[in-house]
Amino acid sequence: MTAPPAAAIEVRRLTYADLPQVVAIERRAFTSPWSLAMFVLELSKPTGICLAAEIPAGGEPELGGYLICSRYDTVWHVMNVAVDPTQRRRGIATAMLSSLLARVEHDAQLTLEVRRSNAGAIQLYERFGFRSAGVRRRYYADNGEDALVMWRTPATLRGTLDDVPGT
Ligand SMILES: CC(C)(COP(=O)(O)OP(=O)(O)OC[C@H]1O[C@@H](n2cnc3c(N)ncnc32)[C@H](O)[C@@H]1OP(=O)(O)O)[C@@H](O)C(=O)NCCC(=O)NCCS
Protein backbone atom coordinates (compact mmCIF):
# COMPACT_ATOMS: atom_id res chain seq x y z
CA MET A 1 0.00 0.00 0.00
CA THR A 2 1.33 3.47 -0.74
CA ALA A 3 1.12 6.26 1.83
CA PRO A 4 -0.77 9.48 1.09
CA PRO A 5 1.38 12.41 -0.14
CA ALA A 6 3.28 14.27 2.57
CA ALA A 7 1.30 17.42 3.36
CA ALA A 8 4.16 19.87 3.18
CA ILE A 9 7.66 18.70 2.38
CA GLU A 10 10.27 21.35 3.06
CA VAL A 11 13.71 20.95 1.53
CA ARG A 12 16.60 22.82 3.11
CA ARG A 13 20.36 22.51 3.50
CA LEU A 14 21.47 19.52 5.59
CA THR A 15 23.44 20.50 8.72
CA TYR A 16 25.74 18.71 11.14
CA ALA A 17 22.88 18.78 13.68
CA ASP A 18 20.85 16.51 11.35
CA LEU A 19 23.49 13.78 11.28
CA PRO A 20 22.19 11.59 14.15
CA GLN A 21 18.84 11.27 12.33
CA VAL A 22 20.60 10.86 8.99
CA VAL A 23 22.69 7.96 10.30
CA ALA A 24 19.57 6.33 11.77
CA ILE A 25 17.78 6.47 8.39
CA GLU A 26 20.95 5.41 6.56
CA ARG A 27 21.21 2.23 8.65
CA ARG A 28 17.64 1.30 7.83
CA ALA A 29 17.95 2.18 4.15
CA PHE A 30 21.15 0.39 3.07
CA THR A 31 22.84 -2.98 3.61
CA SER A 32 26.24 -1.23 3.59
CA PRO A 33 25.45 2.11 5.25
CA TRP A 34 27.76 5.13 5.21
CA SER A 35 29.48 5.91 8.49
CA LEU A 36 29.00 9.18 10.37
CA ALA A 37 32.51 10.19 9.24
CA MET A 38 31.51 9.86 5.58
CA PHE A 39 28.61 12.28 6.07
CA VAL A 40 30.84 14.70 8.00
CA LEU A 41 33.34 14.64 5.12
CA GLU A 42 30.64 15.37 2.52
CA LEU A 43 29.15 18.20 4.60
CA SER A 44 32.60 19.77 4.96
CA LYS A 45 33.04 20.16 1.19
CA PRO A 46 32.30 23.78 0.29
CA THR A 47 31.13 23.01 -3.25
CA GLY A 48 28.75 20.18 -2.39
CA ILE A 49 24.97 20.33 -2.12
CA CYS A 50 23.61 18.38 0.84
CA LEU A 51 19.85 18.57 1.38
CA ALA A 52 17.37 17.57 4.06
CA ALA A 53 13.64 17.01 3.56
CA GLU A 54 11.45 17.78 6.51
CA ILE A 55 7.88 16.74 7.02
CA PRO A 56 5.54 18.01 9.71
CA ALA A 57 5.01 15.40 12.43
CA GLY A 58 2.67 16.50 15.22
CA GLY A 59 3.95 20.07 15.24
CA GLU A 60 7.67 19.34 15.16
CA PRO A 61 9.23 18.91 11.71
CA GLU A 62 10.86 15.51 11.29
CA LEU A 63 13.68 14.49 8.96
CA GLY A 64 12.15 12.40 6.20
CA GLY A 65 15.17 12.02 3.94
CA TYR A 66 18.44 13.43 2.71
CA LEU A 67 20.46 13.83 -0.46
CA ILE A 68 24.21 14.25 -0.81
CA CYS A 69 25.69 15.65 -4.02
CA SER A 70 29.37 16.42 -4.63
CA ARG A 71 30.94 18.40 -7.42
CA TYR A 72 34.05 16.97 -9.10
CA ASP A 73 35.45 19.36 -11.69
CA THR A 74 32.36 20.26 -13.74
CA VAL A 75 30.26 17.19 -12.95
CA TRP A 76 27.79 16.79 -10.09
CA HIS A 77 27.81 13.34 -8.48
CA VAL A 78 24.70 12.31 -6.58
CA MET A 79 26.39 10.26 -3.87
CA ASN A 80 23.53 9.30 -1.59
CA VAL A 81 19.74 9.60 -1.53
CA ALA A 82 17.59 7.98 1.14
CA VAL A 83 14.13 8.36 2.61
CA ASP A 84 12.92 7.03 5.95
CA PRO A 85 11.31 3.63 5.21
CA THR A 86 8.05 4.76 6.86
CA GLN A 87 7.84 7.85 4.63
CA ARG A 88 8.40 6.43 1.16
CA ARG A 89 6.21 6.97 -1.92
CA ARG A 90 5.08 10.35 -0.64
CA GLY A 91 7.24 12.43 -2.97
CA ILE A 92 10.13 13.12 -0.58
CA ALA A 93 12.91 11.96 -2.92
CA THR A 94 11.14 13.78 -5.77
CA ALA A 95 11.13 17.00 -3.72
CA MET A 96 14.85 16.65 -2.94
CA LEU A 97 15.86 15.93 -6.55
CA SER A 98 13.74 18.86 -7.76
CA SER A 99 15.46 21.11 -5.25
CA LEU A 100 18.89 19.84 -6.32
CA LEU A 101 18.13 20.56 -9.98
CA ALA A 102 16.95 24.06 -9.07
CA ARG A 103 20.30 24.69 -7.36
CA VAL A 104 22.67 23.56 -10.15
CA GLU A 105 23.31 25.22 -13.52
CA HIS A 106 20.50 24.72 -16.06
CA ASP A 107 22.91 22.79 -18.33
CA ALA A 108 24.58 20.88 -15.48
CA GLN A 109 25.89 17.37 -15.96
CA LEU A 110 24.89 15.02 -13.17
CA THR A 111 25.80 11.38 -12.65
CA LEU A 112 25.16 8.61 -10.13
CA GLU A 113 25.54 4.89 -9.57
CA VAL A 114 22.62 2.68 -8.64
CA ARG A 115 22.28 -1.05 -8.01
CA ARG A 116 20.96 -2.81 -11.08
CA SER A 117 18.24 -4.42 -8.90
CA ASN A 118 17.02 -1.08 -7.45
CA ALA A 119 14.12 -0.69 -9.87
CA GLY A 120 12.32 1.92 -7.75
CA ALA A 121 15.32 4.24 -7.59
CA ILE A 122 16.06 3.73 -11.31
CA GLN A 123 12.47 4.69 -12.15
CA LEU A 124 12.76 7.76 -9.91
CA TYR A 125 15.97 8.90 -11.64
CA GLU A 126 14.55 8.23 -15.11
CA ARG A 127 11.62 10.49 -14.27
CA PHE A 128 14.18 13.27 -13.85
CA GLY A 129 15.89 12.62 -17.18
CA PHE A 130 18.72 10.39 -15.98
CA ARG A 131 19.62 7.67 -18.48
CA SER A 132 21.69 4.54 -18.03
CA ALA A 133 25.00 5.04 -19.85
CA GLY A 134 27.13 2.15 -18.63
CA VAL A 135 27.68 -0.57 -16.07
CA ARG A 136 30.35 -0.98 -13.41
CA ARG A 137 30.70 -4.73 -12.96
CA ARG A 138 30.59 -6.06 -9.37
CA TYR A 139 30.73 -2.48 -8.05
CA TYR A 140 29.04 -3.29 -4.73
CA ALA A 141 31.38 -5.25 -2.46
CA ASP A 142 28.64 -6.63 -0.17
CA ASN A 143 27.01 -8.86 -2.82
CA GLY A 144 29.05 -8.29 -5.97
CA GLU A 145 26.14 -6.56 -7.69
CA ASP A 146 26.69 -4.41 -10.78
CA ALA A 147 26.09 -0.67 -10.71
CA LEU A 148 24.28 1.14 -13.47
CA VAL A 149 25.96 4.44 -14.22
CA MET A 150 23.27 7.02 -14.95
CA TRP A 151 23.71 10.53 -16.35
CA ARG A 152 21.47 13.56 -16.68
CA THR A 153 22.87 16.03 -19.19
CA PRO A 154 21.51 18.36 -21.86
CA ALA A 155 21.87 15.42 -24.29
CA THR A 156 20.04 12.86 -22.13
CA LEU A 157 17.19 15.36 -21.87
CA ARG A 158 17.08 15.36 -25.70
CA GLY A 159 17.15 11.56 -25.75
CA THR A 160 20.80 10.92 -26.71
CA LEU A 161 24.05 10.22 -24.86
CA ASP A 162 26.10 12.56 -27.11
CA ASP A 163 27.67 14.65 -24.34
CA VAL A 164 28.05 11.88 -21.75
CA PRO A 165 31.75 11.41 -20.90
CA GLY A 166 33.15 8.01 -21.87
CA THR A 167 30.35 6.95 -24.22
C1 LIG B 1 14.67 5.24 -3.69
C2 LIG B 1 14.06 6.15 -2.61
C3 LIG B 1 15.07 7.25 -2.26
C4 LIG B 1 12.76 6.78 -3.16
O1 LIG B 1 12.26 7.71 -2.21
P1 LIG B 1 10.69 8.13 -2.17
O2 LIG B 1 10.58 9.37 -1.37
O3 LIG B 1 9.90 6.96 -1.77
O4 LIG B 1 10.43 8.44 -3.72
P2 LIG B 1 9.19 9.28 -4.32
O5 LIG B 1 8.00 9.13 -3.44
O6 LIG B 1 9.64 10.65 -4.63
O7 LIG B 1 8.95 8.44 -5.67
C5 LIG B 1 8.86 9.06 -6.94
C6 LIG B 1 8.71 8.00 -8.02
O8 LIG B 1 9.86 7.14 -8.05
C7 LIG B 1 9.43 5.79 -8.37
N1 LIG B 1 9.63 4.94 -7.19
C8 LIG B 1 10.13 5.30 -5.98
N2 LIG B 1 10.19 4.22 -5.17
C9 LIG B 1 9.73 3.18 -5.88
C10 LIG B 1 9.56 1.79 -5.59
N3 LIG B 1 9.89 1.28 -4.39
N4 LIG B 1 9.07 0.99 -6.56
C11 LIG B 1 8.74 1.48 -7.77
N5 LIG B 1 8.86 2.80 -8.10
C12 LIG B 1 9.36 3.62 -7.17
C13 LIG B 1 7.96 5.89 -8.69
O9 LIG B 1 7.87 6.24 -10.05
C14 LIG B 1 7.56 7.07 -7.80
O10 LIG B 1 6.36 7.68 -8.23
P3 LIG B 1 4.92 7.14 -7.71
O11 LIG B 1 5.03 7.01 -6.21
O12 LIG B 1 4.00 8.23 -8.17
O13 LIG B 1 4.72 5.81 -8.40
C15 LIG B 1 13.68 5.34 -1.33
O14 LIG B 1 12.93 4.20 -1.71
C16 LIG B 1 14.88 4.86 -0.52
O15 LIG B 1 15.36 5.56 0.38
N6 LIG B 1 15.35 3.64 -0.83
C17 LIG B 1 16.50 3.05 -0.09
C18 LIG B 1 17.77 3.79 -0.42
C19 LIG B 1 18.04 3.82 -1.92
O16 LIG B 1 17.87 2.81 -2.62
N7 LIG B 1 18.50 4.98 -2.41
C20 LIG B 1 18.88 5.16 -3.78
C21 LIG B 1 20.28 4.70 -3.94
S1 LIG B 1 20.91 5.02 -5.58
Side-chain angles (χ1 to χ4, degrees):
M1 201 179 84
T2 54
I9 303 165
E10 194 198 321
V11 181
R12 58 163 174 79
R13 287 263 178 187
L14 191 70
T15 70
Y16 290 105
D18 294 313
L19 291 186
Q21 288 163 280
V22 165
V23 168
I25 294 175
E26 175 79 6
R27 290 190 179 142
R28 298 171 72 199
F30 294 105
T31 46
S32 299
W34 280 21
S35 65
L36 175 63
M38 291 165 83
F39 286 103
V40 170
L41 177 67
E42 292 303 323
L43 273 183
S44 73
K45 294 180 182 170
T47 56
I49 298 177
C50 299
L51 301 175
E54 283 185 329
I55 42 171
E60 281 293 301
E62 187 178 280
L63 191 77
Y66 51 88
L67 179 153
I68 309 284
C69 187
S70 264
R71 191 183 174 127
Y72 294 96
D73 192 11
T74 59
V75 176
W76 293 96
H77 291 248
V78 182
M79 313 281 290
N80 196 336
V81 184
V83 170
D84 184 311
T86 65
Q87 303 291 346
R88 291 188 185 156
R89 303 304 287 274
R90 306 178 76 192
I92 292 176
T94 297
M96 293 191 295
L97 281 163
S98 301
S99 179
L100 173 67
L101 293 176
R103 291 165 195 251
V104 299
E105 312 81 26
H106 79 279
D107 57 351
Q109 293 193 312
L110 297 100
T111 187
L112 57 84
E113 279 106 19
V114 57
R115 285 179 194 260
R116 209 196 259 279
S117 65
N118 197 347
I122 292 167
Q123 188 174 328
L124 167 75
Y125 298 135
E126 285 178 342
R127 276 199 180 185
F128 279 91
F130 284 85
R131 293 292 173 263
S132 175
V135 174
R136 291 199 213 291
R137 300 267 170 225
R138 303 188 62 78
Y139 180 78
Y140 295 99
D142 57 355
N143 65 351
E145 189 171 351
D146 296 344
L148 290 189
V149 183
M150 300 186 81
W151 283 83
R152 181 191 191 274
T153 67
T156 67
L157 297 175
R158 292 192 305 268
T160 77
L161 297 176
D162 288 351
D163 64 358
V164 171
T167 56

Short mmCIF file of all heavy atoms in Angstrom, two decimals, residues 10-26 36 39-40 43 50-54 61-68:
data_model
loop_
_atom_site.label_atom_id
_atom_site.label_comp_id
_atom_site.label_asym_id
_atom_site.label_seq_id
_atom_site.Cartn_x
_atom_site.Cartn_y
_atom_site.Cartn_z
N GLU A 10 9.39 20.19 3.18
CA GLU A 10 10.27 21.35 3.06
C GLU A 10 11.69 20.86 2.86
O GLU A 10 12.18 20.03 3.63
CB GLU A 10 10.20 22.22 4.33
CG GLU A 10 10.83 23.58 4.11
CD GLU A 10 11.18 24.28 5.41
OE1 GLU A 10 10.37 24.18 6.35
OE2 GLU A 10 12.25 24.90 5.46
N VAL A 11 12.33 21.35 1.79
CA VAL A 11 13.71 20.95 1.53
C VAL A 11 14.62 22.12 1.89
O VAL A 11 14.38 23.26 1.49
CB VAL A 11 13.90 20.56 0.05
CG1 VAL A 11 15.35 20.13 -0.21
CG2 VAL A 11 12.95 19.41 -0.32
N ARG A 12 15.63 21.80 2.67
CA ARG A 12 16.60 22.82 3.11
C ARG A 12 17.98 22.18 3.12
O ARG A 12 18.13 20.98 2.90
CB ARG A 12 16.24 23.33 4.50
CG ARG A 12 16.19 22.21 5.54
CD ARG A 12 16.23 22.73 6.96
NE ARG A 12 16.04 21.67 7.93
CZ ARG A 12 16.98 20.81 8.33
NH1 ARG A 12 18.21 20.84 7.79
NH2 ARG A 12 16.72 19.89 9.24
N ARG A 13 19.00 23.02 3.38
CA ARG A 13 20.36 22.51 3.50
C ARG A 13 20.47 21.55 4.69
O ARG A 13 19.90 21.83 5.76
CB ARG A 13 21.34 23.66 3.73
CG ARG A 13 21.58 24.49 2.48
CD ARG A 13 22.84 24.03 1.77
NE ARG A 13 23.03 24.81 0.54
CZ ARG A 13 23.97 24.53 -0.35
NH1 ARG A 13 24.80 23.51 -0.18
NH2 ARG A 13 24.10 25.26 -1.43
N LEU A 14 21.19 20.46 4.50
CA LEU A 14 21.47 19.52 5.59
C LEU A 14 22.55 20.15 6.49
O LEU A 14 23.46 20.80 5.98
CB LEU A 14 22.00 18.23 4.97
CG LEU A 14 22.13 17.00 5.85
CD1 LEU A 14 20.75 16.46 6.24
CD2 LEU A 14 22.89 15.90 5.11
N THR A 15 22.44 19.94 7.79
CA THR A 15 23.44 20.50 8.72
C THR A 15 24.03 19.37 9.57
O THR A 15 23.49 18.27 9.64
CB THR A 15 22.83 21.55 9.66
OG1 THR A 15 21.96 20.87 10.59
CG2 THR A 15 22.04 22.60 8.91
N TYR A 16 25.12 19.70 10.26
CA TYR A 16 25.74 18.71 11.14
C TYR A 16 24.74 18.25 12.21
O TYR A 16 24.77 17.10 12.63
CB TYR A 16 26.99 19.29 11.81
CG TYR A 16 28.14 19.50 10.84
CD1 TYR A 16 28.47 20.77 10.39
CD2 TYR A 16 28.89 18.43 10.36
CE1 TYR A 16 29.52 20.98 9.50
CE2 TYR A 16 29.93 18.61 9.46
CZ TYR A 16 30.24 19.89 9.03
OH TYR A 16 31.27 20.08 8.13
N ALA A 17 23.85 19.14 12.63
CA ALA A 17 22.88 18.78 13.68
C ALA A 17 21.90 17.69 13.21
O ALA A 17 21.29 17.01 14.04
CB ALA A 17 22.11 20.02 14.11
N ASP A 18 21.76 17.54 11.88
CA ASP A 18 20.85 16.51 11.35
C ASP A 18 21.47 15.11 11.38
O ASP A 18 20.77 14.12 11.16
CB ASP A 18 20.50 16.81 9.88
CG ASP A 18 19.70 18.08 9.71
OD1 ASP A 18 18.72 18.26 10.46
OD2 ASP A 18 20.05 18.88 8.82
N LEU A 19 22.80 15.04 11.57
CA LEU A 19 23.49 13.78 11.28
C LEU A 19 23.05 12.59 12.14
O LEU A 19 22.99 11.47 11.62
CB LEU A 19 25.01 13.98 11.30
CG LEU A 19 25.51 14.84 10.12
CD1 LEU A 19 27.03 14.89 10.10
CD2 LEU A 19 25.00 14.31 8.78
N PRO A 20 22.68 12.77 13.42
CA PRO A 20 22.19 11.59 14.15
C PRO A 20 20.95 10.96 13.48
O PRO A 20 20.87 9.73 13.33
CB PRO A 20 21.85 12.15 15.54
CG PRO A 20 22.77 13.33 15.69
CD PRO A 20 22.86 13.93 14.31
N GLN A 21 20.03 11.81 13.01
CA GLN A 21 18.84 11.27 12.33
C GLN A 21 19.20 10.69 10.97
O GLN A 21 18.63 9.69 10.53
CB GLN A 21 17.79 12.37 12.14
CG GLN A 21 17.10 12.79 13.42
CD GLN A 21 16.42 14.13 13.21
OE1 GLN A 21 17.07 15.18 13.25
NE2 GLN A 21 15.14 14.09 12.96
N VAL A 22 20.16 11.35 10.30
CA VAL A 22 20.60 10.86 8.99
C VAL A 22 21.18 9.45 9.12
O VAL A 22 20.83 8.54 8.36
CB VAL A 22 21.65 11.82 8.38
CG1 VAL A 22 22.39 11.17 7.22
CG2 VAL A 22 20.99 13.12 7.95
N VAL A 23 22.05 9.27 10.12
CA VAL A 23 22.69 7.96 10.30
C VAL A 23 21.64 6.90 10.65
O VAL A 23 21.72 5.76 10.19
CB VAL A 23 23.81 8.07 11.37
CG1 VAL A 23 24.29 6.70 11.80
CG2 VAL A 23 24.96 8.89 10.81
N ALA A 24 20.63 7.29 11.42
CA ALA A 24 19.57 6.33 11.77
C ALA A 24 18.80 5.90 10.52
O ALA A 24 18.51 4.71 10.34
CB ALA A 24 18.63 6.95 12.80
N ILE A 25 18.48 6.83 9.64
CA ILE A 25 17.78 6.47 8.39
C ILE A 25 18.71 5.65 7.50
O ILE A 25 18.31 4.63 6.92
CB ILE A 25 17.30 7.75 7.65
CG1 ILE A 25 16.22 8.47 8.46
CG2 ILE A 25 16.78 7.40 6.24
CD1 ILE A 25 15.77 9.81 7.88
N GLU A 26 19.97 6.10 7.41
CA GLU A 26 20.95 5.41 6.56
C GLU A 26 21.04 3.93 6.92
O GLU A 26 21.08 3.06 6.04
CB GLU A 26 22.31 6.11 6.74
CG GLU A 26 23.48 5.45 6.03
CD GLU A 26 23.56 5.76 4.54
OE1 GLU A 26 22.77 6.59 4.04
OE2 GLU A 26 24.42 5.16 3.87
N LEU A 36 29.15 7.76 10.01
CA LEU A 36 29.00 9.18 10.37
C LEU A 36 30.13 9.99 9.74
O LEU A 36 29.91 11.09 9.21
CB LEU A 36 29.02 9.31 11.90
CG LEU A 36 29.00 10.73 12.44
CD1 LEU A 36 27.71 11.46 12.06
CD2 LEU A 36 29.16 10.71 13.97
N PHE A 39 29.51 11.13 6.19
CA PHE A 39 28.61 12.28 6.07
C PHE A 39 29.30 13.57 6.49
O PHE A 39 29.11 14.62 5.86
CB PHE A 39 27.35 12.06 6.93
CG PHE A 39 26.40 11.06 6.34
CD1 PHE A 39 26.32 9.78 6.85
CD2 PHE A 39 25.61 11.38 5.26
CE1 PHE A 39 25.45 8.84 6.31
CE2 PHE A 39 24.73 10.46 4.70
CZ PHE A 39 24.66 9.18 5.23
N VAL A 40 30.12 13.50 7.55
CA VAL A 40 30.84 14.70 8.00
C VAL A 40 31.74 15.20 6.87
O VAL A 40 31.79 16.40 6.58
CB VAL A 40 31.64 14.39 9.29
CG1 VAL A 40 32.59 15.55 9.62
CG2 VAL A 40 30.70 14.12 10.46
N LEU A 43 29.67 16.89 4.17
CA LEU A 43 29.15 18.20 4.60
C LEU A 43 30.26 19.25 4.66
O LEU A 43 29.99 20.44 4.55
CB LEU A 43 28.52 18.07 5.99
CG LEU A 43 27.05 17.68 6.05
CD1 LEU A 43 26.57 17.67 7.49
CD2 LEU A 43 26.18 18.62 5.24
N CYS A 50 24.15 19.42 -0.04
CA CYS A 50 23.61 18.38 0.84
C CYS A 50 22.26 18.88 1.34
O CYS A 50 22.17 19.97 1.92
CB CYS A 50 24.55 18.13 2.02
SG CYS A 50 26.18 17.56 1.51
N LEU A 51 21.22 18.11 1.10
CA LEU A 51 19.85 18.57 1.38
C LEU A 51 19.15 17.67 2.38
O LEU A 51 19.40 16.46 2.43
CB LEU A 51 19.05 18.59 0.07
CG LEU A 51 19.60 19.48 -1.05
CD1 LEU A 51 18.77 19.30 -2.32
CD2 LEU A 51 19.61 20.95 -0.62
N ALA A 52 18.23 18.28 3.12
CA ALA A 52 17.37 17.57 4.06
C ALA A 52 15.93 17.83 3.66
O ALA A 52 15.59 18.94 3.26
CB ALA A 52 17.60 18.09 5.48
N ALA A 53 15.08 16.81 3.77
CA ALA A 53 13.64 17.01 3.56
C ALA A 53 12.95 16.84 4.90
O ALA A 53 13.14 15.82 5.57
CB ALA A 53 13.11 16.01 2.54
N GLU A 54 12.19 17.84 5.25
CA GLU A 54 11.45 17.78 6.51
C GLU A 54 9.96 17.64 6.24
O GLU A 54 9.44 18.24 5.29
CB GLU A 54 11.67 19.07 7.31
CG GLU A 54 13.01 19.11 7.98
CD GLU A 54 13.14 20.34 8.86
OE1 GLU A 54 12.54 21.38 8.55
OE2 GLU A 54 13.86 20.25 9.85
N PRO A 61 8.80 19.50 12.97
CA PRO A 61 9.23 18.91 11.71
C PRO A 61 10.19 17.74 11.96
O PRO A 61 10.98 17.76 12.89
CB PRO A 61 9.94 20.05 10.98
CG PRO A 61 10.09 21.16 11.93
CD PRO A 61 9.33 20.85 13.17
N GLU A 62 10.07 16.73 11.12
CA GLU A 62 10.86 15.51 11.29
C GLU A 62 11.65 15.28 10.01
O GLU A 62 11.15 15.55 8.93
CB GLU A 62 9.86 14.36 11.50
CG GLU A 62 10.43 13.05 11.87
CD GLU A 62 9.27 12.06 12.09
OE1 GLU A 62 8.65 12.08 13.17
OE2 GLU A 62 8.99 11.30 11.15
N LEU A 63 12.88 14.76 10.15
CA LEU A 63 13.68 14.49 8.96
C LEU A 63 13.11 13.28 8.22
O LEU A 63 13.03 12.19 8.79
CB LEU A 63 15.14 14.23 9.36
CG LEU A 63 16.09 14.19 8.17
CD1 LEU A 63 16.40 15.61 7.68
CD2 LEU A 63 17.39 13.48 8.53
N GLY A 64 12.71 13.49 6.98
CA GLY A 64 12.15 12.40 6.20
C GLY A 64 13.15 11.77 5.25
O GLY A 64 13.01 10.62 4.85
N GLY A 65 14.18 12.54 4.88
CA GLY A 65 15.17 12.02 3.94
C GLY A 65 16.28 13.01 3.73
O GLY A 65 16.22 14.15 4.21
N TYR A 66 17.29 12.56 2.98
CA TYR A 66 18.44 13.43 2.71
C TYR A 66 19.05 13.06 1.37
O TYR A 66 18.83 11.95 0.85
CB TYR A 66 19.49 13.32 3.83
CG TYR A 66 19.86 11.90 4.12
CD1 TYR A 66 20.88 11.25 3.43
CD2 TYR A 66 19.13 11.17 5.04
CE1 TYR A 66 21.17 9.92 3.65
CE2 TYR A 66 19.41 9.84 5.28
CZ TYR A 66 20.43 9.23 4.58
OH TYR A 66 20.70 7.89 4.81
N LEU A 67 19.80 14.01 0.84
CA LEU A 67 20.46 13.83 -0.46
C LEU A 67 21.84 14.48 -0.36
O LEU A 67 21.96 15.59 0.14
CB LEU A 67 19.62 14.51 -1.54
CG LEU A 67 20.12 14.48 -2.99
CD1 LEU A 67 18.94 14.57 -3.96
CD2 LEU A 67 21.08 15.64 -3.27
N ILE A 68 22.84 13.75 -0.84
CA ILE A 68 24.21 14.25 -0.81
C ILE A 68 24.72 14.31 -2.25
O ILE A 68 24.69 13.30 -2.97
CB ILE A 68 25.15 13.29 -0.04
CG1 ILE A 68 24.59 12.93 1.34
CG2 ILE A 68 26.57 13.84 0.03
CD1 ILE A 68 24.71 13.98 2.38
#
